[in-house]
Amino acid sequence: MSHSIIKVLTMSPSQDVVAVRGWVRTRRTSKNVSFVALNDGSTIKNLQLVIDLDKGFGLTEELIAKVTTGASISAKGRLVASQGSGQAVELLVEELEVNGIAHPDEYPLQPKKHSFEFLREIGHLRFRTNLFGAILRVRHSMTFAIHKFFHDRGFFNIHTPIITGSDCEGAGEMFRVTTLPPQNPPVLEDGSIDYSRDFFGKATNLTVSGQLEGELAAMALSKIYTFGPTFRAENSNTSRHLAEFWMIEPEMAFYDLKDNMDLAEEFLKFLIKFALENCADDLEFLSARLAEENKSRPQNERDEMTLLQKLEFVLNNSFERLTYTQAIEILMNCNMNKKKKFQYPVDRWGIDLQSEHERYLVEKHFNRPVIVTDYPRANKAFYMRANEDGKTVAAMDILVPGVGEIIGGSQREERYEVLKQRAAEFHIPEESIWWYLDIRRFGSVVHSGFGLGFERLLMFISGMGNVRDVIPFPRTPKSAEF
Protein backbone atom coordinates (compact mmCIF):
# COMPACT_ATOMS: atom_id res chain seq x y z
CA MET A 1 0.00 0.00 0.00
CA SER A 2 1.34 3.42 -0.95
CA HIS A 3 1.58 6.28 1.50
CA SER A 4 0.83 9.89 0.67
CA ILE A 5 3.90 12.11 0.66
CA ILE A 6 2.44 14.37 3.33
CA LYS A 7 2.28 11.28 5.57
CA VAL A 8 5.77 10.03 4.66
CA LEU A 9 7.36 13.38 5.52
CA THR A 10 6.15 12.98 9.12
CA MET A 11 7.62 9.48 9.48
CA SER A 12 10.97 8.58 11.06
CA PRO A 13 13.80 6.61 9.46
CA SER A 14 12.96 2.92 9.50
CA GLN A 15 13.90 -0.44 8.02
CA ASP A 16 10.26 -0.93 6.97
CA VAL A 17 9.61 -0.74 3.23
CA VAL A 18 7.68 2.39 2.23
CA ALA A 19 5.86 2.75 -1.08
CA VAL A 20 5.10 6.09 -2.73
CA ARG A 21 3.66 7.27 -6.04
CA GLY A 22 3.57 10.64 -7.75
CA TRP A 23 4.96 12.89 -10.45
CA VAL A 24 8.57 13.88 -10.93
CA ARG A 25 9.29 17.56 -10.36
CA THR A 26 13.05 17.38 -10.97
CA ARG A 27 15.87 14.88 -11.30
CA ARG A 28 19.57 15.62 -10.90
CA THR A 29 22.36 13.08 -11.25
CA SER A 30 25.82 12.95 -9.72
CA LYS A 31 27.99 10.01 -10.83
CA ASN A 32 25.78 6.93 -10.36
CA VAL A 33 23.35 8.54 -7.92
CA SER A 34 20.13 10.32 -8.98
CA PHE A 35 18.10 12.60 -6.72
CA VAL A 36 14.42 12.85 -7.65
CA ALA A 37 11.95 15.38 -6.22
CA LEU A 38 8.59 13.57 -6.12
CA ASN A 39 5.21 15.20 -5.51
CA ASP A 40 1.76 13.61 -5.29
CA GLY A 41 -0.32 16.76 -4.62
CA SER A 42 -0.96 15.98 -0.95
CA THR A 43 1.45 18.75 0.12
CA ILE A 44 3.50 21.49 -1.46
CA LYS A 45 6.63 19.73 -0.17
CA ASN A 46 8.45 17.14 -2.27
CA LEU A 47 9.90 13.85 -1.11
CA GLN A 48 13.48 13.29 -2.19
CA LEU A 49 14.15 9.86 -3.70
CA VAL A 50 17.74 8.64 -3.79
CA ILE A 51 18.43 6.18 -6.62
CA ASP A 52 21.89 4.66 -6.24
CA LEU A 53 22.87 2.34 -9.09
CA ASP A 54 25.81 1.02 -7.05
CA LYS A 55 23.54 -0.36 -4.30
CA GLY A 56 22.74 -3.47 -6.34
CA PHE A 57 18.96 -3.20 -6.39
CA GLY A 58 18.77 -4.04 -10.09
CA LEU A 59 18.02 -0.49 -11.18
CA THR A 60 19.40 0.44 -14.61
CA GLU A 61 20.48 3.60 -16.42
CA GLU A 62 17.86 2.90 -19.11
CA LEU A 63 15.13 2.96 -16.47
CA ILE A 64 16.49 6.11 -14.76
CA ALA A 65 16.59 7.90 -18.13
CA LYS A 66 12.78 7.71 -18.24
CA VAL A 67 12.50 9.50 -14.88
CA THR A 68 12.07 12.98 -16.34
CA THR A 69 10.14 16.03 -15.19
CA GLY A 70 6.42 15.28 -15.48
CA ALA A 71 6.76 11.48 -15.55
CA SER A 72 4.68 9.46 -13.12
CA ILE A 73 6.51 6.84 -11.08
CA SER A 74 6.02 4.35 -8.26
CA ALA A 75 8.87 3.65 -5.85
CA LYS A 76 9.59 1.44 -2.85
CA GLY A 77 12.42 1.67 -0.42
CA ARG A 78 13.47 2.55 3.10
CA LEU A 79 13.34 5.93 4.77
CA VAL A 80 16.72 7.23 5.88
CA ALA A 81 17.83 10.44 7.54
CA SER A 82 18.37 13.04 4.85
CA GLN A 83 21.94 14.00 4.05
CA GLY A 84 20.86 17.35 2.61
CA SER A 85 18.96 20.36 3.90
CA GLY A 86 15.26 20.97 3.39
CA GLN A 87 13.92 17.62 4.54
CA ALA A 88 14.32 15.32 7.55
CA VAL A 89 14.01 12.06 5.64
CA GLU A 90 14.52 10.76 2.12
CA LEU A 91 13.65 7.49 0.42
CA LEU A 92 16.47 5.16 -0.59
CA VAL A 93 14.87 3.50 -3.62
CA GLU A 94 15.02 -0.29 -3.98
CA GLU A 95 12.23 -0.77 -6.54
CA LEU A 96 11.17 1.68 -9.24
CA GLU A 97 8.45 1.65 -11.89
CA VAL A 98 7.79 4.33 -14.49
CA ASN A 99 4.01 4.47 -14.91
CA GLY A 100 3.87 7.16 -17.58
CA ILE A 101 6.65 8.94 -19.42
CA ALA A 102 6.80 12.69 -20.18
CA HIS A 103 9.16 13.42 -23.05
CA PRO A 104 11.36 16.43 -22.14
CA ASP A 105 11.05 17.92 -25.64
CA GLU A 106 7.25 17.88 -25.44
CA TYR A 107 6.32 18.39 -21.78
CA PRO A 108 5.69 22.16 -21.38
CA LEU A 109 6.11 22.40 -17.59
CA GLN A 110 9.86 22.28 -17.27
CA PRO A 111 11.44 23.36 -13.94
CA LYS A 112 11.58 27.10 -14.58
CA LYS A 113 9.37 30.10 -13.98
CA HIS A 114 6.29 30.33 -16.23
CA SER A 115 3.98 33.33 -16.71
CA PHE A 116 0.35 33.21 -15.58
CA GLU A 117 -0.71 33.78 -19.20
CA PHE A 118 1.26 30.74 -20.35
CA LEU A 119 -0.17 28.59 -17.55
CA ARG A 120 -3.72 29.61 -18.49
CA GLU A 121 -3.00 28.39 -22.02
CA ILE A 122 -2.14 24.96 -20.62
CA GLY A 123 -4.89 24.85 -18.02
CA HIS A 124 -5.00 21.06 -18.17
CA LEU A 125 -1.44 20.90 -16.77
CA ARG A 126 -1.18 23.94 -14.50
CA PHE A 127 -2.55 21.91 -11.56
CA ARG A 128 0.91 20.29 -11.39
CA THR A 129 2.73 23.51 -10.50
CA ASN A 130 3.53 24.41 -6.89
CA LEU A 131 1.42 27.55 -7.22
CA PHE A 132 -1.80 25.97 -8.41
CA GLY A 133 -1.40 22.97 -6.14
CA ALA A 134 -1.24 25.39 -3.21
CA ILE A 135 -4.26 27.37 -4.40
CA LEU A 136 -6.41 24.28 -4.91
CA ARG A 137 -5.52 22.84 -1.51
CA VAL A 138 -6.47 26.18 0.08
CA ARG A 139 -9.68 26.18 -1.98
CA HIS A 140 -10.55 22.74 -0.64
CA SER A 141 -9.85 23.76 2.96
CA MET A 142 -12.01 26.86 2.61
CA THR A 143 -14.86 24.78 1.17
CA PHE A 144 -14.72 22.50 4.20
CA ALA A 145 -14.42 25.45 6.62
CA ILE A 146 -17.49 27.17 5.16
CA HIS A 147 -19.67 24.10 5.67
CA LYS A 148 -18.23 23.57 9.15
CA PHE A 149 -18.90 27.18 10.21
CA PHE A 150 -22.56 27.06 9.28
CA HIS A 151 -23.17 23.47 10.42
CA ASP A 152 -21.72 24.21 13.87
CA ARG A 153 -24.10 27.19 14.20
CA GLY A 154 -27.30 25.36 13.33
CA PHE A 155 -27.62 26.43 9.68
CA PHE A 156 -29.05 24.15 7.00
CA ASN A 157 -27.52 23.92 3.53
CA ILE A 158 -30.06 24.52 0.75
CA HIS A 159 -29.51 23.72 -2.94
CA THR A 160 -31.16 26.55 -4.82
CA PRO A 161 -31.96 26.34 -8.56
CA ILE A 162 -29.26 26.79 -11.18
CA ILE A 163 -31.96 27.29 -13.83
CA THR A 164 -34.32 30.11 -12.85
CA GLY A 165 -36.96 32.40 -14.28
CA SER A 166 -35.99 35.36 -12.08
CA ASP A 167 -33.18 37.93 -12.16
CA CYS A 168 -32.15 38.49 -8.54
CA GLU A 169 -30.13 41.64 -9.15
CA GLY A 170 -32.24 43.14 -11.92
CA ALA A 171 -29.07 43.46 -14.00
CA GLY A 172 -30.30 41.53 -17.02
CA GLU A 173 -26.84 40.09 -17.80
CA MET A 174 -27.90 36.46 -17.77
CA PHE A 175 -27.23 33.32 -19.80
CA ARG A 176 -30.39 32.04 -21.45
CA VAL A 177 -31.37 28.39 -21.11
CA THR A 178 -33.46 27.12 -24.01
CA THR A 179 -34.20 24.08 -26.15
CA LEU A 180 -35.75 26.13 -28.95
CA PRO A 181 -34.02 25.80 -32.34
CA PRO A 182 -31.47 28.60 -32.83
CA GLN A 183 -32.18 29.03 -36.55
CA ASN A 184 -35.97 29.33 -36.66
CA PRO A 185 -37.42 29.63 -33.16
CA PRO A 186 -41.21 29.98 -32.83
CA VAL A 187 -42.31 33.62 -32.72
CA LEU A 188 -45.37 35.57 -31.63
CA GLU A 189 -47.30 37.97 -33.84
CA ASP A 190 -45.10 40.86 -32.74
CA GLY A 191 -41.97 38.95 -33.84
CA SER A 192 -40.72 38.13 -30.33
CA ILE A 193 -39.74 34.58 -29.44
CA ASP A 194 -42.60 32.41 -28.16
CA TYR A 195 -41.10 30.96 -24.99
CA SER A 196 -44.38 29.24 -24.13
CA ARG A 197 -43.18 26.56 -26.54
CA ASP A 198 -39.81 26.21 -24.80
CA PHE A 199 -38.93 23.35 -22.44
CA PHE A 200 -40.12 25.18 -19.30
CA GLY A 201 -42.92 27.08 -21.03
CA LYS A 202 -41.26 30.40 -20.22
CA ALA A 203 -37.94 32.24 -20.61
CA THR A 204 -35.31 30.82 -18.22
CA ASN A 205 -31.72 31.65 -17.38
CA LEU A 206 -28.72 30.48 -15.39
CA THR A 207 -28.94 31.96 -11.91
CA VAL A 208 -26.99 35.03 -10.78
CA SER A 209 -27.76 34.29 -7.12
CA GLY A 210 -29.53 31.78 -4.91
CA GLN A 211 -30.61 34.47 -2.46
CA LEU A 212 -34.28 34.89 -3.37
CA GLU A 213 -34.96 31.17 -3.23
CA GLY A 214 -32.86 30.93 -0.07
CA GLU A 215 -35.13 33.42 1.65
CA LEU A 216 -38.08 31.08 1.09
CA ALA A 217 -36.31 28.33 3.01
CA ALA A 218 -35.23 30.73 5.78
CA MET A 219 -38.89 31.54 6.37
CA ALA A 220 -39.33 27.97 7.55
CA LEU A 221 -35.93 26.73 8.74
CA SER A 222 -34.79 30.07 10.26
CA LYS A 223 -31.10 29.80 9.28
CA ILE A 224 -29.96 28.48 5.91
CA TYR A 225 -27.07 28.95 3.51
CA THR A 226 -26.43 28.25 -0.14
CA PHE A 227 -23.06 27.41 -1.67
CA GLY A 228 -23.24 26.95 -5.39
CA PRO A 229 -22.34 28.14 -8.88
CA THR A 230 -23.68 31.43 -10.19
CA PHE A 231 -23.40 32.97 -13.63
CA ARG A 232 -23.12 36.44 -15.11
CA ALA A 233 -23.08 37.14 -18.85
CA GLU A 234 -21.01 40.27 -18.42
CA ASN A 235 -18.61 40.82 -21.32
CA SER A 236 -15.74 41.82 -19.08
CA ASN A 237 -12.12 40.76 -19.33
CA THR A 238 -10.91 42.31 -16.08
CA SER A 239 -8.91 40.48 -13.42
CA ARG A 240 -11.96 40.45 -11.12
CA HIS A 241 -14.70 39.02 -13.36
CA LEU A 242 -15.76 35.50 -14.27
CA ALA A 243 -18.79 34.27 -16.17
CA GLU A 244 -19.11 31.32 -13.76
CA PHE A 245 -18.24 31.65 -10.10
CA TRP A 246 -19.29 30.31 -6.70
CA MET A 247 -21.26 32.14 -4.02
CA ILE A 248 -21.90 31.55 -0.32
CA GLU A 249 -25.21 33.13 0.70
CA PRO A 250 -26.66 32.70 4.19
CA GLU A 251 -30.18 33.91 4.98
CA MET A 252 -31.39 34.29 8.56
CA ALA A 253 -34.92 34.85 9.86
CA PHE A 254 -35.20 37.21 12.86
CA TYR A 255 -31.80 38.83 12.10
CA ASP A 256 -31.62 42.59 11.71
CA LEU A 257 -28.74 44.49 10.08
CA LYS A 258 -26.60 44.45 13.25
CA ASP A 259 -27.05 40.69 13.65
CA ASN A 260 -26.11 40.31 9.99
CA MET A 261 -22.89 42.30 10.43
CA ASP A 262 -21.94 40.38 13.56
CA LEU A 263 -22.33 37.05 11.76
CA ALA A 264 -20.43 38.21 8.66
CA GLU A 265 -17.49 39.46 10.74
CA GLU A 266 -17.41 36.22 12.73
CA PHE A 267 -17.61 34.21 9.48
CA LEU A 268 -14.71 35.98 7.79
CA LYS A 269 -12.49 35.71 10.86
CA PHE A 270 -13.31 32.01 11.22
CA LEU A 271 -12.27 31.31 7.62
CA ILE A 272 -8.99 33.20 7.95
CA LYS A 273 -8.14 31.48 11.25
CA PHE A 274 -8.94 28.10 9.69
CA ALA A 275 -6.67 28.85 6.73
CA LEU A 276 -3.77 29.97 8.93
CA GLU A 277 -4.06 26.86 11.10
CA ASN A 278 -4.66 24.27 8.38
CA CYS A 279 -2.87 25.62 5.28
CA ALA A 280 0.35 26.88 6.86
CA ASP A 281 2.79 25.40 4.31
CA ASP A 282 0.79 26.59 1.32
CA LEU A 283 0.23 30.06 2.77
CA GLU A 284 3.92 30.45 3.55
CA PHE A 285 4.71 29.56 -0.06
CA LEU A 286 2.07 31.96 -1.39
CA SER A 287 3.25 34.74 0.93
CA ALA A 288 6.87 34.30 -0.22
CA ARG A 289 5.75 34.33 -3.87
CA LEU A 290 3.80 37.55 -3.33
CA ALA A 291 6.72 39.19 -1.48
CA GLU A 292 9.03 38.41 -4.40
CA GLU A 293 6.49 39.80 -6.87
CA ASN A 294 6.08 42.89 -4.71
CA LYS A 295 9.79 43.74 -5.10
CA SER A 296 9.39 44.22 -8.86
CA ARG A 297 6.64 46.84 -8.49
CA PRO A 298 7.24 50.58 -8.41
CA GLN A 299 7.82 51.83 -4.87
CA ASN A 300 4.46 53.64 -4.70
CA GLU A 301 2.55 50.50 -5.79
CA ARG A 302 4.07 48.03 -3.35
CA ASP A 303 1.94 46.40 -0.69
CA GLU A 304 2.83 47.57 2.79
CA MET A 305 1.84 44.23 4.33
CA THR A 306 2.81 40.68 3.47
CA LEU A 307 0.06 38.19 2.71
CA LEU A 308 0.26 36.65 6.17
CA GLN A 309 0.21 40.13 7.75
CA LYS A 310 -2.97 40.99 5.81
CA LEU A 311 -4.67 37.85 7.09
CA GLU A 312 -3.57 38.53 10.66
CA PHE A 313 -4.70 42.17 10.22
CA VAL A 314 -8.28 41.05 9.54
CA LEU A 315 -8.23 38.30 12.15
CA ASN A 316 -6.90 40.41 15.02
CA ASN A 317 -8.81 43.69 14.54
CA SER A 318 -12.41 44.48 15.36
CA PHE A 319 -14.18 45.85 12.28
CA GLU A 320 -14.87 49.59 12.19
CA ARG A 321 -18.55 50.32 11.43
CA LEU A 322 -19.78 53.53 9.84
CA THR A 323 -22.52 54.69 7.51
CA TYR A 324 -22.08 55.46 3.83
CA THR A 325 -22.77 59.13 4.65
CA GLN A 326 -19.92 59.17 7.17
CA ALA A 327 -17.64 57.41 4.68
CA ILE A 328 -18.39 60.02 2.00
CA GLU A 329 -17.59 62.85 4.43
CA ILE A 330 -14.23 61.24 5.28
CA LEU A 331 -13.37 60.67 1.62
CA MET A 332 -14.44 64.14 0.44
CA ASN A 333 -12.27 65.79 3.09
CA CYS A 334 -9.18 63.59 2.85
CA ASN A 335 -5.94 64.81 1.28
CA MET A 336 -6.05 62.08 -1.40
CA ASN A 337 -9.30 63.53 -2.71
CA LYS A 338 -8.34 67.20 -2.26
CA LYS A 339 -5.08 66.62 -4.15
CA LYS A 340 -7.01 64.76 -6.89
CA LYS A 341 -5.07 61.54 -6.38
CA PHE A 342 -8.16 59.35 -6.60
CA GLN A 343 -8.89 58.02 -10.09
CA TYR A 344 -12.57 58.56 -9.29
CA PRO A 345 -13.00 61.88 -7.41
CA VAL A 346 -15.41 61.90 -4.46
CA ASP A 347 -17.47 65.02 -5.14
CA ARG A 348 -20.98 64.31 -3.89
CA TRP A 349 -23.21 62.10 -1.79
CA GLY A 350 -24.69 59.28 -3.87
CA ILE A 351 -21.69 58.11 -5.87
CA ASP A 352 -20.69 54.44 -5.92
CA LEU A 353 -17.67 53.73 -3.74
CA GLN A 354 -14.82 52.41 -5.87
CA SER A 355 -12.15 49.95 -4.75
CA GLU A 356 -9.64 52.77 -4.25
CA HIS A 357 -12.06 54.54 -1.89
CA GLU A 358 -12.74 51.35 0.06
CA ARG A 359 -9.04 50.58 0.39
CA TYR A 360 -8.32 54.15 1.59
CA LEU A 361 -10.84 53.73 4.41
CA VAL A 362 -9.31 50.40 5.45
CA GLU A 363 -5.59 50.93 4.88
CA LYS A 364 -5.13 54.67 5.50
CA HIS A 365 -7.93 56.17 7.55
CA PHE A 366 -8.99 53.48 10.05
CA ASN A 367 -6.15 50.97 9.69
CA ARG A 368 -8.57 48.11 10.30
CA PRO A 369 -11.29 46.26 8.36
CA VAL A 370 -14.39 48.36 7.80
CA ILE A 371 -18.13 47.74 7.47
CA VAL A 372 -20.02 50.47 5.60
CA THR A 373 -23.80 50.56 6.10
CA ASP A 374 -26.89 52.43 4.90
CA TYR A 375 -26.11 53.01 1.22
CA PRO A 376 -28.19 55.21 -1.11
CA ARG A 377 -31.29 53.26 -2.15
CA ALA A 378 -30.74 54.17 -5.81
CA ASN A 379 -27.42 52.29 -5.78
CA LYS A 380 -28.68 49.03 -4.28
CA ALA A 381 -30.96 46.11 -5.14
CA PHE A 382 -34.74 46.18 -4.82
CA TYR A 383 -34.90 43.61 -1.98
CA MET A 384 -32.89 45.68 0.53
CA ARG A 385 -34.96 47.16 3.35
CA ALA A 386 -35.79 50.83 2.86
CA ASN A 387 -34.74 53.03 5.78
CA GLU A 388 -37.07 55.60 7.31
CA ASP A 389 -35.09 58.51 5.84
CA GLY A 390 -36.41 57.64 2.36
CA LYS A 391 -32.87 57.93 0.94
CA THR A 392 -30.99 54.87 2.12
CA VAL A 393 -31.36 51.12 2.57
CA ALA A 394 -30.19 48.80 5.36
CA ALA A 395 -27.25 47.46 3.40
CA MET A 396 -23.73 46.60 4.54
CA ASP A 397 -20.40 45.90 2.82
CA ILE A 398 -17.28 44.50 4.51
CA LEU A 399 -14.02 46.02 3.25
CA VAL A 400 -10.57 44.46 3.70
CA PRO A 401 -7.02 45.52 2.74
CA GLY A 402 -5.80 44.93 -0.79
CA VAL A 403 -9.27 44.01 -2.09
CA GLY A 404 -11.90 46.45 -0.86
CA GLU A 405 -15.36 44.90 -0.68
CA ILE A 406 -15.34 41.18 0.09
CA ILE A 407 -18.83 40.64 1.58
CA GLY A 408 -22.05 42.42 0.69
CA GLY A 409 -25.41 42.02 2.39
CA SER A 410 -28.47 43.67 3.82
CA GLN A 411 -31.53 43.43 5.95
CA ARG A 412 -34.20 42.26 3.50
CA GLU A 413 -37.40 44.18 2.88
CA GLU A 414 -40.08 42.27 4.82
CA ARG A 415 -42.98 44.69 4.12
CA TYR A 416 -45.18 43.53 1.25
CA GLU A 417 -46.30 46.90 -0.12
CA VAL A 418 -42.84 48.47 0.13
CA LEU A 419 -41.21 45.51 -1.64
CA LYS A 420 -43.86 45.58 -4.34
CA GLN A 421 -43.16 49.26 -4.97
CA ARG A 422 -39.38 48.71 -5.03
CA ALA A 423 -39.73 45.91 -7.60
CA ALA A 424 -41.78 48.26 -9.79
CA GLU A 425 -39.04 50.91 -9.55
CA PHE A 426 -36.61 48.32 -10.95
CA HIS A 427 -39.09 47.32 -13.68
CA ILE A 428 -39.26 43.77 -12.37
CA PRO A 429 -42.59 42.20 -13.42
CA GLU A 430 -44.66 41.03 -10.46
CA GLU A 431 -45.49 37.78 -12.23
CA SER A 432 -41.81 36.83 -12.28
CA ILE A 433 -41.40 37.16 -8.48
CA TRP A 434 -44.96 36.55 -7.24
CA TRP A 435 -43.64 33.83 -4.91
CA TYR A 436 -41.02 36.16 -3.44
CA LEU A 437 -43.67 38.78 -2.75
CA ASP A 438 -46.03 36.14 -1.39
CA ILE A 439 -43.86 35.22 1.61
CA ARG A 440 -44.28 38.82 2.77
CA ARG A 441 -48.01 38.12 3.06
CA PHE A 442 -47.80 34.98 5.20
CA GLY A 443 -45.89 35.23 8.47
CA SER A 444 -43.28 37.73 7.30
CA VAL A 445 -40.45 38.51 9.72
CA VAL A 446 -37.41 40.72 9.94
CA HIS A 447 -34.64 38.83 8.13
CA SER A 448 -31.19 39.41 6.70
CA GLY A 449 -28.43 37.80 4.67
CA PHE A 450 -25.20 38.39 2.83
CA GLY A 451 -23.15 37.06 -0.04
CA LEU A 452 -19.48 36.13 -0.20
CA GLY A 453 -17.97 35.45 -3.60
CA PHE A 454 -15.87 32.35 -3.07
CA GLU A 455 -13.26 33.34 -5.64
CA ARG A 456 -13.04 36.84 -4.14
CA LEU A 457 -12.32 35.22 -0.77
CA LEU A 458 -9.66 32.99 -2.34
CA MET A 459 -7.98 35.97 -4.00
CA PHE A 460 -7.68 37.62 -0.61
CA ILE A 461 -6.44 34.52 1.23
CA SER A 462 -3.98 33.45 -1.50
CA GLY A 463 -2.82 36.92 -2.56
CA MET A 464 -3.50 36.13 -6.22
CA GLY A 465 -4.21 39.17 -8.37
CA ASN A 466 -6.40 37.54 -11.02
CA VAL A 467 -9.62 35.69 -10.30
CA ARG A 468 -8.90 33.29 -13.19
CA ASP A 469 -6.08 31.82 -11.13
CA VAL A 470 -8.12 30.77 -8.08
CA ILE A 471 -10.69 28.60 -9.89
CA PRO A 472 -9.81 25.30 -11.59
CA PHE A 473 -11.54 26.04 -14.90
CA PRO A 474 -12.14 29.76 -15.48
CA ARG A 475 -15.04 30.76 -17.71
CA THR A 476 -14.49 34.15 -19.35
CA PRO A 477 -15.53 35.82 -22.63
CA LYS A 478 -14.36 33.75 -25.62
CA SER A 479 -12.95 31.11 -23.27
CA ALA A 480 -14.70 27.89 -22.33
CA GLU A 481 -12.09 25.16 -22.61
CA PHE A 482 -12.59 21.71 -21.10
Side-chain angles (χ1 to χ4, degrees):
M1 176 182 171
S2 291
H3 291 86
S4 65
I5 286 176
I6 193 171
K7 169 77 171 174
V8 171
L9 290 173
T10 65
M11 296 166 67
S12 301
S14 169
Q15 287 303 303
D16 296 335
V17 174
V18 173
V20 293
R21 297 178 293 199
W23 293 267
V24 175
R25 288 294 171 83
T26 61
R27 188 196 89 213
R28 59 186 175 85
T29 301
S30 175
K31 297 182 180 178
N32 282 337
V33 181
S34 291
F35 301 91
V36 176
L38 190 70
N39 191 279
D40 66 356
S42 61
T43 172
I44 197 164
K45 296 178 178 177
N46 301 321
L47 174 65
Q48 179 163 282
L49 311 186
V50 180
I51 306 171
D52 191 340
L53 296 182
D54 293 334
K55 290 290 186 181
F57 294 127
L59 304 172
T60 65
E61 291 183 4
E62 290 76 18
L63 179 62
I64 305 306
K66 297 177 182 178
V67 182
T68 59
T69 297
S72 61
I73 64 173
S74 300
K76 292 182 180 179
R78 287 171 172 78
L79 280 181
V80 297
S82 179
Q83 301 301 306
S85 62
Q87 64 277 326
V89 293
E90 55 194 21
L91 188 74
L92 183 59
V93 176
E94 299 176 2
E95 296 179 35
L96 178 68
E97 179 183 356
V98 177
N99 304 310
I101 63 171
H103 199 284
D105 294 336
E106 298 175 1
Y107 186 60
L109 279 178
Q110 293 303 310
K112 63 178 183 178
K113 188 172 183 178
H114 299 285
S115 70
F116 291 125
E117 292 76 14
F118 173 74
L119 293 176
R120 290 179 204 129
E121 291 173 5
I122 55 166
H124 59 305
L125 295 173
R126 70 176 184 169
F127 300 106
R128 300 191 189 185
T129 64
N130 282 336
L131 177 59
F132 286 95
I135 289 167
L136 291 174
R137 283 186 293 271
V138 171
R139 187 179 175 107
H140 161 79
S141 290
M142 290 298 90
T143 300
F144 176 80
I146 287 161
H147 287 297
K148 177 174 173 56
F149 176 86
F150 288 118
H151 176 78
D152 290 352
R153 287 157 182 77
F155 281 70
F156 299 101
N157 180 227
I158 298 295
H159 296 147
T160 51
I162 291 174
I163 300 172
T164 178
S166 66
D167 178 358
C168 176
E169 301 294 338
E173 297 166 330
M174 306 179 75
F175 290 102
R176 182 136 298 163
V177 176
T178 181
T179 58
L180 294 176
Q183 300 299 329
N184 295 295
V187 295
L188 300 170
E189 289 184 5
D190 63 2
S192 61
I193 295 176
D194 182 5
Y195 284 106
S196 67
R197 297 171 64 181
D198 206 347
F199 185 90
F200 293 106
K202 61 185 289 188
T204 53
N205 314 282
L206 295 179
T207 185
V208 300
S209 169
Q211 178 204 314
L212 303 191
E213 294 87 352
E215 284 186 51
L216 309 185
M219 291 301 102
L221 299 176
S222 289
K223 296 189 295 186
I224 67 93
Y225 71 103
T226 74
F227 187 176
T230 51
F231 307 85
R232 191 67 61 86
E234 185 176 0
N235 190 15
S236 174
N237 272 300
T238 76
S239 62
R240 295 164 67 91
H241 288 89
L242 290 168
E244 177 185 277
F245 52 100
W246 289 70
M247 287 287 292
I248 302 100
E249 298 174 292
E251 292 293 327
M252 299 78 65
F254 309 107
Y255 272 51
D256 61 16
L257 185 63
K258 181 183 181 301
D259 299 324
N260 200 25
M261 290 189 286
D262 291 343
L263 182 73
E265 179 173 342
E266 182 188 3
F267 180 48
L268 190 55
K269 287 183 173 181
F270 176 89
L271 296 181
I272 291 171
K273 186 171 187 287
F274 192 95
L276 289 169
E277 291 177 350
N278 293 277
C279 308
D281 289 342
D282 289 320
L283 288 181
E284 284 176 14
F285 168 81
L286 291 166
S287 187
R289 183 205 69 82
L290 192 61
E292 195 63 32
E293 185 181 278
N294 203 36
K295 292 178 185 176
S296 63
R297 296 175 181 166
Q299 189 72 35
N300 62 335
E301 295 180 13
R302 293 182 184 177
D303 289 330
E304 296 180 4
M305 290 186 280
T306 67
L307 174 61
L308 294 177
Q309 286 172 338
K310 283 182 188 177
L311 298 178
E312 295 282 359
F313 176 85
V314 175
L315 182 61
N316 296 327
N317 280 293
S318 59
F319 291 13
E320 185 74 29
R321 302 183 183 189
L322 72 160
T323 66
Y324 167 89
T325 300
Q326 291 170 323
I328 287 294
E329 289 175 359
I330 290 169
L331 292 166
M332 286 182 71
N333 293 312
C334 74
N335 286 333
M336 284 280 289
N337 192 55
K338 289 179 178 178
K339 294 180 178 179
K340 303 186 184 303
K341 290 188 176 181
F342 282 137
Q343 182 180 353
Y344 299 94
V346 182
D347 54 6
R348 61 183 172 81
W349 189 95
I351 66 166
D352 281 325
L353 294 183
Q354 303 296 323
S355 178
E356 61 178 341
H357 306 143
E358 296 167 341
R359 291 185 61 181
Y360 175 85
L361 292 170
V362 173
E363 299 166 24
K364 303 297 183 185
H365 188 81
F366 289 110
N367 196 32
R368 65 178 59 222
V370 170
I371 307 180
V372 178
T373 66
D374 302 301
Y375 283 82
R377 61 183 285 164
N379 299 7
K380 292 294 184 179
F382 79 99
Y383 51 74
M384 297 186 177
R385 195 184 199 279
N387 289 330
E388 301 307 317
D389 60 13
K391 296 169 53 182
T392 62
V393 290
M396 67 95 177
D397 286 343
I398 294 184
L399 317 179
V400 295
V403 173
E405 185 213 334
I406 194 168
I407 288 178
S410 73
Q411 187 172 323
R412 313 312 191 190
E413 183 56 78
E414 84 280 8
R415 297 165 295 185
Y416 175 75
E417 291 297 338
V418 177
L419 183 62
K420 189 175 175 181
Q421 178 187 340
R422 287 284 284 159
E425 291 173 12
F426 279 74
H427 307 292
I428 299 173
E430 276 189 47
E431 59 268 22
S432 71
I433 56 165
W434 63 269
W435 43 272
Y436 187 67
L437 291 167
D438 222 25
I439 61 168
R440 272 68 179 179
R441 297 172 54 221
F442 306 121
S444 184
V445 300
V446 168
H447 61 290
S448 299
F450 60 81
L452 169 63
F454 191 38
E455 284 71 32
R456 184 71 63 87
L457 170 74
L458 290 168
M459 286 178 71
F460 178 65
I461 288 180
S462 69
M464 296 300 290
N466 195 312
V467 70
R468 303 174 194 205
D469 298 325
V470 295
I471 191 169
F473 304 102
R475 295 289 180 255
T476 56
K478 305 294 188 295
S479 178
E481 295 292 338
F482 319 113

